[in-house]
Amino acid sequence: AQFEGAAIIVPSPGVPLPKIEEHLSPARRGLIVGEMELAHSRLQGEPILAVTGTSGKTTTVSVAAAMLEAAGKRVFLGGNIGTPLSEYVLERMRGAPRADVLVLEVSSFQLQTCRAFRPKVAVLLNISENHLDHHKDMAEYEDAKFRLFACQDKDDIAILPEELRELAEKYNLPATVEYFSARSRFPRTRLLGAHNQLNLEAAFMSSAHFGVGLEAASVAAETFASL
C-alpha cells in the first residue's frame, strides 16, 4: 500500500530488487528508478567517467580524479564512493560551478536500476564471485556489471582488462573498446602491488580521454596516498 500512487520508486542500492518487486504489480515494476539514474536524468551534459568492478573501484576513481585535477580539471568524485550523484545535481541547482568531469564509482546494485545511464568513458576493472547473497547467480552479477556499457555508442569509450576480452566480446559492446594490462608506467608511487599498477593504468587510460597527459598523471600517481 505504501507504493500506491507513487510516480517513481527510488530504492536504496542495498535493497535487492525482488524485495521491492514482490510488492508491485508487473505493470508497476517499471517505476523503480535508481538514485544514480534519477540524478543522471537531471544532468546538463556533464561528461562522466564511471568505474565498476569487484575490487579496486575506490582506488581507481580516486586516482583518476587526482590525475584530472593535476591536469587542471574541475572534478566531482562520487557515486558508490560516498557522495551521491544527486548531491552534485542539488548543488548545481543552488548555483555551484559545473564540473568538467564527473568521476563515479558504480556498484552492481546501482547498475541494476539504470536504464539510460551513459558514461563517456566506462571502466570495468575485474569480475570475481561476490555479492551472491544479493544477486541470484554469477550470470546476473556479470549482467549487472556490463550494464555500465549498455547505453554507450561508438563515440564513447569502454575500457576493460585484457583478461576480460573474451567475455566482453560476448556482450558485443557498442562503444569503442580498449584493453589494459599492467605496464609499470608509474614506478614512483605509494600504491604497492601488481593490482595497483592495474588500477593506475586504468585510471590513466580513462582520464587521458579527458585531456590528461602522462606528466600530470605521473605527478598524481607519485603523490597519491593509499586509501
Side-chain angles (χ1 to χ4, degrees):
Q2 292 179 356
F3 297 116
E4 287 302 319
I8 60 171
I9 298 164
V10 185
S12 164
V15 178
L17 287 180
K19 293 291 186 184
I20 303 172
E21 291 172 340
E22 67 186 23
H23 299 292
L24 302 173
S25 66
R28 291 180 62 76
R29 290 173 186 171
L31 300 179
I32 299 174
V33 177
E35 173 273 329
M36 185 169 289
E37 177 82 352
L38 178 62
H40 176 265
S41 72
R42 302 299 192 270
L43 295 178
Q44 298 177 16
E46 295 94 327
I48 294 172
L49 189 170
V51 178
T52 195
T54 302
S55 57
K57 297 186 294 295
T58 302
T59 295
T60 302
V61 292
S62 299
V63 173
M67 289 177 174
L68 287 158
E69 288 171 346
K73 306 292 183 183
R74 186 190 299 277
V75 177
F76 168 80
L77 174 62
N80 193 55
I81 193 173
T83 306
L85 181 58
S86 52
E87 187 64 31
Y88 169 80
V89 172
L90 290 169
E91 289 299 317
R92 285 283 291 134
M93 290 169 65
R94 298 177 188 124
R98 183 182 190 272
D100 296 316
V101 185
L102 306 177
V103 181
L104 303 176
E105 177 184 328
V106 191
S107 73
S108 61
F109 301 171
Q110 291 169 315
L111 286 166
Q112 275 193 303
T113 52
C114 285
R115 302 188 199 100
F117 181 69
R118 180 187 171 188
K120 178 66 182 169
V121 177
V123 182
L124 174 57
L125 294 171
N126 45 57
I127 295 181
S128 58
E129 280 197 12
N130 200 17
H131 299 308
L132 297 186
D133 56 336
H134 183 102
H135 297 287
K136 68 181 180 181
D137 53 29
M138 193 62 186
E140 182 184 284
Y141 180 53
E142 284 181 359
D143 286 346
K145 289 298 189 188
F146 274 88
R147 279 212 57 74
L148 184 67
F149 309 107
C151 296
Q152 291 187 298
D153 64 23
K154 60 182 176 57
D155 295 324
D156 301 317
I157 306 295
I159 298 175
L160 304 96
E162 186 63 45
E163 65 197 50
L164 290 183
R165 182 185 289 267
E166 188 175 337
L167 182 60
E169 288 173 352
K170 213 175 77 176
Y171 280 88
N172 194 26
L173 303 184
T176 299
V177 183
E178 298 177 357
Y179 294 96
F180 68 91
S181 55
R183 293 181 54 185
S184 301
R185 202 195 303 248
F186 302 102
R188 298 175 63 86
T189 178
R190 286 181 276 179
L191 295 173
L192 305 179
H195 63 291
N196 273 322
Q197 284 297 326
L198 285 167
N199 294 337
L200 286 163
E201 191 65 27
F204 175 57
M205 283 181 64
S206 56
S207 61
H209 287 285
F210 298 97
V212 175
L214 185 58
E215 184 177 352
S218 297
V219 169
E222 184 173 351
T223 58
F224 185 83
S226 173
L227 300 174

